[in-house]
Amino acid sequence: MDGAPTPEEDFSALSIAERLAHKNWKARVSAYETLVKTFQATPSETDPAFKPYISSPDLLKKMVTDSNVVAQEKGVETVIAFVKFAGETAARTREVVVPALVDKCLGSTRQGTKAKAIELILEYVEVENGAAAIVDDVLPGLNAKQPKAVAGAVSVLKDIIRLYGPVVCPPKSVFKALPKIFAHSDQTVRAEGSQLVQSLYSYVGDAIQPAIAELKPVQIKELTEACEALKAAGKGPGSFKPERITRAGQREREVQEAAGIEEVEAPPEEIDPLQFVSETDVVAKFPPDLYANLASSKWKDRKTALDDLAAVLTPMQKIKDSPPEFAELVKALAGRMPDANIMCVMAAAACVEGLAKGLGSPFGRYREIIVTPMIDRLKERKQNVTDALGLALDAVFATVTFPDIIGDVLPHLSSKNPQVKEGAVKFLHRCMLSTKTPPAPPQVKPLSEAVASLLADSAEPVR
């Protein structure tokens, strides 16, 4: 009859393979819908329904790159179901599917397609039990010609970090990409980059500083202010907890539940920000004639050498260990602690602090060389000098244990100089507040007696 609607063509009689290869996009959608139901109904991850797509991942690639935008969104939805129900076996298709998502979906004008593509990438992180390879697949998206595709790639990186955390997604490669993100001409890309940095900061804190050091000063200022606002709101370093876990993590949780181990709400983990930073060879950056200038009779030569050295050592970085060179350097810095020029003393203390923080526990081998000269110099009455020495001493202590440091401090508790005695007591107190290791049993009595004797000291600050 004239005016009657054309009946919808029924493709259900065709096989899945025929519908997937059909020129009519509605036939392909019909196949996608059938596959979603099939995957959802599978009893296990080893079901034969998954085999054709695991052995031929290009079939999945064709789904997520379908030429029809409506069918493409349904195709991405189909692959989500495939990965979710095929489990860890589906990880074998990642290297084919994820680059296709980055290339064809993250810049989609359809919000549903983009959102589902991001979800699919997150599903791949789950079944691959790690995000490193997936991040490597996403990073080329930062070179896309369309700004919206670049913004989509940055958004994926942000969601991976935020939802899985830095253990599942080690952020070193993301750190390296930050300068490129913030150099992009598109405001949306840079805004997504800011959200990425804030997600990183809530996990790793100041470890992001070296990564953003190359940005424009105004960008560094804005990011620093945003991170400070997060910290003030209780969302600072260590505050974030992963919202999603990998399949391996799920199995571990199930084992604990089966064993009757209750999950206890743990306090925020202390994260070493340097564990996510690449090592830096600072020895190669040492100023020329360093040791000759440190031993110069002219204080300006010594000060210039120390300032140049501090510029190398004090930025937040993970310093590559170099025992012979650092042993010589620490001895030279110890020799500058009695320097007649207080500016040289403060610069030397800054160098010790930077080296200890950047090197971490390996610096502990130089403790005996440097701690005593620094405590001896606490006789200085100028507050800025004692503050610099205090920061350096604290940095050194962070590389050793409380029992290690006791032998260095005890002799100074009976010093004839009240400033040295006061500084030693304050340092000991800070060590006791932060230590997680108690003194060794033989150390308890001499330490207790030394501290008790200070209660009757003639100097009020010491008491």
Side-chain angles (χ1 to χ4, degrees), residues 17 26 38 47 49 54 72 75 117 178 184 213 237 244 261 275 294 352 400 412 463:
K26 292 183 180 179
T38 300
D47 193 273
I54 291 170
Q72 181 187 29
L178 291 179
H184 202 282
R244 296 177 70 149
I261 302 173
Q275 68 178 298
L294 287 179
V352 172
V400 296
H412 296 88
R463 295 198 302 273

Side-chain angles (χ1 to χ4, degrees), residues 77-325:
E77 184 181 325
T78 304
V79 183
I80 290 174
F82 165 77
V83 174
K84 183 176 291 186
F85 292 99
E88 286 159 293
T89 310
R92 285 153 51 183
T93 66
R94 182 267 311 159
E95 62 183 10
V96 173
V97 176
V98 173
L101 293 170
V102 174
D103 188 37
K104 297 295 184 181
C105 297
L106 294 183
S108 175
T109 54
R110 290 177 67 90
Q111 191 60 36
T113 301
K114 178 181 174 181
K116 288 173 183 175
I118 292 175
E119 174 57 29
L120 177 51
I121 291 172
L122 294 172
E123 289 285 347
Y124 269 113
V125 174
E126 181 179 319
V127 299
E128 188 145 299
N129 296 314
I134 290 149
V135 167
D136 288 342
D137 289 337
V138 173
L139 287 175
L142 300 180
N143 299 318
K145 292 182 178 179
Q146 290 186 324
K148 58 185 178 182
V150 180
V154 180
S155 182
V156 169
L157 295 174
K158 173 197 67 181
D159 285 350
I160 292 174
I161 287 287
R162 180 175 58 85
L163 296 172
Y164 285 101
V167 174
V168 172
C169 181
K172 286 184 181 180
S173 56
V174 179
F175 284 162
K176 292 178 182 178
L178 291 179
K180 176 181 284 190
I181 293 170
F182 283 95
H184 202 282
S185 59
D186 187 78
Q187 184 178 356
T188 304
V189 172
R190 298 194 303 273
E192 287 288 352
S194 178
Q195 293 298 314
L196 170 60
V197 167
Q198 291 178 57
S199 292
L200 285 164
Y201 177 77
S202 292
Y203 277 113
V204 305
D206 289 338
I208 64 168
Q209 293 300 327
I212 65 174
E214 299 175 23
L215 308 187
K216 296 176 181 178
V218 66
Q219 292 176 325
I220 296 174
K221 181 176 180 290
E222 289 172 354
L223 291 171
T224 301
E225 289 174 350
C227 291
E228 288 175 352
L230 284 175
K231 190 173 184 179
K235 298 178 181 178
S239 63
F240 269 22
K241 292 183 178 180
E243 297 177 27
R244 296 177 70 149
I245 58 175
T246 62
R247 293 296 173 94
Q250 291 173 27
R251 284 196 297 274
E252 185 178 339
R253 180 178 291 180
E254 288 168 0
V255 168
Q256 290 179 340
E257 289 176 352
I261 302 173
E262 293 186 13
E263 190 173 354
V264 180
E265 186 73 17
E269 290 184 40
E270 288 187 23
I271 295 179
D272 175 11
L274 297 184
Q275 68 178 298
F276 306 114
V277 180
S278 299
E279 285 189 333
T280 301
D281 182 6
V282 296
V283 174
K285 302 178 181 180
F286 282 0
D289 301 323
L290 172 64
Y291 294 105
N293 288 329
L294 287 179
S296 173
S297 59
K298 298 178 180 179
W299 73 266
K300 287 186 178 180
D301 290 345
R302 301 194 301 273
K303 177 66 164 55
T304 299
L306 288 165
D307 286 344
D308 291 344
L309 181 62
V312 173
L313 296 177
T314 54
M316 174 171 281
Q317 59 193 324
K318 186 175 185 178
I319 294 176
K320 182 180 179 181
D321 196 8
S322 184
E325 287 83 357

